[in-house]
Amino acid sequence: MNSPAPEDTVHPIPPRTLTVAYTGGEERRGPITMGQANMIRCILRDDPTHINIHDVWPVPGGVTVEAVTDALRALAVRHEGLRTTFPHPPGAAPVDQVVAAEGTFTVTVLDHTELPDDPAGYAESVARAARAGRFALGREFPMRITLLTVAGQPAYVALAFSHAVADGSAMAILREEFTELLAGKELPDLASLPPVDLAAVEASPAGLRKSEASLRYWERIIRTGPQEMFAEPRGRRPGTDEEARQLTLRSRRGGRALAGAARRTGHPEATVLMAAWCALVAHRAGQDSCVTAVPSANRFHARVARSVTTTSQDALLHLDVRVETFDALVARTWGAVLNAYRHSQFDSVRLWEMIGRVTAERGSHFGRDVVFNDVSALPAPLLGTEAEDRGGAEHELTWGPPQALPTRLLAFTYRTAPQLHISLWAAPSLFAPEEAEGFLSGLVLLLEATAAGDVPMDALTEVTGVRPAERGPDWLRLDGCWVSPDAVRETLGRAVDGLPVHVTGEPEPYGTADGTDGTEATADTDGTASGTPGAEPHLTAYIARGDTLLTSEEAHRALMALIPAAGSGVLAPRRYVLVTDPPADPDRSDAWRRLKTIEEGTGRGRQV
């Protein structure tokens, strides 16, 4: 994070607060939109520094403080979202939004004798600091505004936004309009729906059918796709988000390669880039498919393209990468992306209820591990200071400030021409700095190879230099996921207060395929179980309960409570077998199988 300048340089004059009144809008009330409901759920639950968002708007020279506040006032009157609050009783989530016809907001003015050597970075740090503290949804103006001036002359507006009223695209629209207002331009009539009207469209019969279809689409992925993309021994840290530094690629090589690959394959650049991203993510993760969230996909319809509200509902892409060549993957990506975009409008409360139900049935915890946000189609003025081009770097990687990362791999694509400009945040537990740099460089190498000719998918390590995750021979591919029986055993042991536990993969749900108990079912390198070629293994957990009254249902519930914060590779067993005492050789599965069973019950696969 950028450090503030010394105190005598930054703001020797005490801050002052301006109160700005606005009037001329229309008072309205209605249900909240699906996007608002989704973000309000996060606002009420998450750390404000994670969920609030921020932006910095440069102010051209010669503009007065009064002109800045007039422009901000005009934006508040123009956009209903900025005049919206969400009244609700204590302990309940809002269900309605109220649009005020008039009101006030404040602007904190920080005057300086001079700005630090990196003025844009300093403004960024001021905006980021304003994210601290939860917005009061029922009464607070949804923007926290700080005006940075030098000897009274405006230089930057640093803002923090409530994510209930704005997302990245909305901030970009406001930044563009703010700049045009300061230039004396007249803004065109609004073409996209305000939030109250958008909610009415979503509640229409057609909108409800679309939501239902989206829920069915998501359920298919949650039921069958990997529950965590990066399932490996050094996977996610239990129960914590990581702090990751921003790594930015600026590469004219990448821009030329992407254009060449698009020409050769006959597909749009965005499709080729998405295919390359998914191919490399799945390759690095050692998965047969890539599951990635695509947040910007939900503004493809004209009615929301320029709406100042939050449309933050993921499109969820599930791309099977089991094809022979990259060209075949590109052809598959086009349809998969369109399908994901079509299913990005849904009732978020019902979505998370479904995810909770399905993951309970799978004995898992679904991780939003990978996020790919391509905003390169936005006009240049809408992209802000973080996306500014810095000359014509042939291939440059630069490290920026850290931020909390509630996912494992997050990418923003700002530009694809004339240079490829991508910022990446990669979890340090999974990607050492040189591995993160190698991942972005490998993406460019893949595009260059694709521009020259079709690339075999089994040559990705050779072409990109990116190596797949390393897992020991004990890891199993189970129900579309990579699972570590050792990690399951350790977590289950904690769940049952340290009772002796043994977890093993077995080719059939109930013992070995031939009905004997002497064949050890272990994982081969391809994740299948030995003993019955091709049979998918299932986990069985043996628990020596001693004199306790533990039941299989209690063991399963206790394990499921720990799984969300457990380490990598933890899924619940399909079957629990309770015995009295552990065998003399507790490391051998056949020794556990020979013990007298007190009770057995199901776990993963059904709710108990």
Side-chain angles (χ1 to χ4, degrees):
M1 180 177 294
N2 296 292
S3 299
E7 186 70 22
D8 62 346
T9 305
V10 176
H11 45 85
I13 302 171
R16 63 190 177 103
T17 300
L18 304 178
T19 299
V20 181
Y22 62 86
T23 187
E26 180 184 355
E27 185 174 345
R28 305 179 72 194
R29 186 184 187 109
I32 59 177
T33 68
M34 292 179 179
Q36 289 170 335
N38 187 42
M39 296 319 303
I40 287 171
R41 176 183 176 275
C42 299
I43 289 168
L44 296 175
R45 180 197 63 190
D46 296 345
D47 185 324
T49 59
H50 296 181
I51 194 61
N52 294 338
I53 53 179
H54 73 280
D55 203 3
V56 174
W57 300 349
V59 180
V63 173
T64 65
V65 171
E66 290 73 21
V68 170
T69 56
D70 285 346
L72 293 168
R73 178 188 293 110
L75 292 176
V77 174
R78 175 176 170 85
H79 295 291
E80 291 186 4
L82 301 184
R83 294 182 277 115
T84 297
T85 53
F86 305 90
H88 59 285
V95 296
D96 291 322
Q97 56 184 313
V98 175
V99 182
E102 59 185 28
T104 62
F105 59 86
T106 60
V107 177
T108 300
V109 180
L110 294 183
D111 198 19
H112 307 71
T113 56
E114 62 179 352
L115 291 177
D117 292 338
D118 179 14
Y122 166 64
E124 168 82 10
S125 70
V126 172
R128 188 181 294 274
R131 290 168 58 160
R134 205 176 306 275
F135 274 89
L137 294 171
R139 56 180 173 79
E140 186 176 354
F141 188 73
M143 295 195 301
R144 296 170 182 161
I145 307 168
T146 304
L147 177 59
L148 306 180
T149 61
V150 180
Q153 178 66 43
Y156 294 94
V157 182
L159 308 102
F161 289 80
S162 166
H163 217 330
V165 303
D167 54 18
S169 295
M171 290 193 303
I173 292 164
L174 291 169
R175 186 190 316 121
E176 178 192 36
E177 293 184 348
F178 175 76
T179 302
E180 291 181 349
L181 287 169
L182 292 183
K185 296 181 181 179
E186 185 175 344
L187 300 180
D189 291 339
L190 295 173
S192 295
L193 296 177
V196 173
D197 294 335
L198 179 58
V201 170
E202 293 174 344
S204 68
L208 294 175
R209 287 194 298 271
K210 185 177 181 65
S211 178
E212 290 295 329
S214 297
L215 291 174
R216 291 192 297 270
Y217 168 86
W218 275 69
E219 183 167 350
R220 285 194 298 272
I221 296 174
I222 303 299
R223 280 196 180 279
T224 61
Q227 294 294 278
E228 84 182 287
M229 281 300 298
F230 297 103
E232 55 186 274
R234 59 174 179 167
R236 63 178 180 227
R237 297 174 179 175
T240 60
D241 293 337
E242 297 184 59
E243 192 171 75
R245 292 180 64 195
Q246 178 180 355
L247 174 63
T248 298
L249 165 76
R250 290 180 174 88
S251 174
R252 285 188 173 270
R253 278 177 46 198
R256 291 193 300 269
L258 179 56
R263 285 194 301 270
R264 192 190 64 77
T265 62
H267 287 276
E269 290 186 3
T271 303
V272 175
L273 183 59
M274 180 67 78
W277 168 263
C278 288
L280 204 57
V281 168
H283 173 70
R284 165 61 182 81
Q287 299 280 11
D288 290 337
S289 63
C290 175
V291 176
T292 184
V294 190
S296 62
N298 42 23
R299 281 186 179 264
F300 67 95
H301 197 285
R303 67 173 173 244
V304 293
R306 291 186 62 85
S307 181
V308 173
T309 185
T310 184
T311 62
S312 292
Q313 292 186 277
D314 289 340
L316 189 66
L317 175 64
H318 183 204
L319 184 62
D320 190 331
V321 301
R322 291 175 294 183
V323 291
E324 291 187 2
T325 68
F326 185 76
D327 283 10
L329 183 65
V330 174
R332 175 178 289 183
T333 302
W334 172 253
V337 168
L338 288 180
N339 205 23
Y341 285 7
R342 286 173 44 235
H343 295 100
S344 60
Q345 176 186 311
F346 44 78
D347 182 328
S348 60
V349 174
R350 291 188 59 202
L351 175 77
W352 284 102
E353 289 174 349
M354 178 275 291
I355 291 176
R357 171 173 51 83
V358 172
T359 53
E361 292 169 1
R362 288 189 78 178
S364 63
H365 175 72
F366 176 71
R368 186 177 179 266
D369 283 350
V370 183
V371 181
F372 185 79
N373 205 351
D374 186 349
V375 296
S376 61
L378 292 174
L382 273 66
L383 289 177
T385 58
E386 288 189 359
E388 289 177 354
D389 290 332
R390 297 180 183 174
E394 186 66 8
H395 187 82
E396 176 186 78
L397 288 166
T398 56
W399 286 96
Q403 70 177 49
L405 188 69
T407 183
R408 304 298 135 198
L409 197 65
L410 166 65
F412 272 79
T413 300
Y414 297 110
R415 281 281 170 263
T416 57
Q419 62 177 198
L420 185 61
H421 179 180
I422 299 176
S423 285
L424 181 77
W425 291 261
S429 63
L430 292 164
F431 292 83
E434 61 272 16
E435 290 176 301
E437 293 178 353
F439 186 88
L440 282 181
S441 294
L443 187 67
V444 172
L445 290 171
L446 176 56
L447 293 172
E448 289 179 327
T450 301
D454 201 0
V455 176
M457 290 293 286
D458 61 6
L460 288 182
T461 299
E462 178 183 355
V463 169
T464 68
V466 176
R467 304 187 64 83
E470 295 183 1
R471 301 180 182 90
D474 58 316
W475 282 68
L476 304 175
R477 193 188 295 275
L478 176 76
D479 191 19
C481 306
W482 281 106
V483 184
S484 167
D486 285 345
V488 176
R489 174 186 53 76
E490 189 276 331
T491 307
L492 179 58
R494 287 191 287 116
V496 296
D497 297 327
L499 293 174
V501 170
H502 180 77
V503 176
T504 184
E506 298 180 337
E508 295 291 334
Y510 299 101
T512 56
D514 60 5
T516 67
D517 60 2
T519 303
E520 186 76 13
T522 59
D524 294 326
T525 56
D526 64 355
T528 60
S530 59
T532 304
E536 180 179 283
H538 303 272
L539 284 187
T540 295
Y542 295 88
I543 305 173
R545 75 176 191 181
D547 295 330
T548 71
L549 300 178
L550 179 74
T551 66
S552 56
E553 289 83 359
E554 291 169 343
H556 181 67
R557 282 197 298 271
L559 174 61
M560 289 299 298
L562 295 183
I563 282 180
S568 189
V570 178
L571 270 73
R574 177 70 57 85
R575 174 177 173 242
Y576 296 85
V577 177
L578 273 59
V579 299
T580 302
D581 298 306
D585 190 351
D587 294 330
R588 292 192 56 82
S589 299
D590 57 346
W592 284 88
R593 295 188 188 108
R594 284 193 291 266
L595 298 176
K596 180 180 179 181
T597 299
I598 299 173
E599 178 198 331
E600 65 178 273
T602 58
R604 199 178 58 82
R606 356 174 352 193
Q607 295 190 53
V608 294

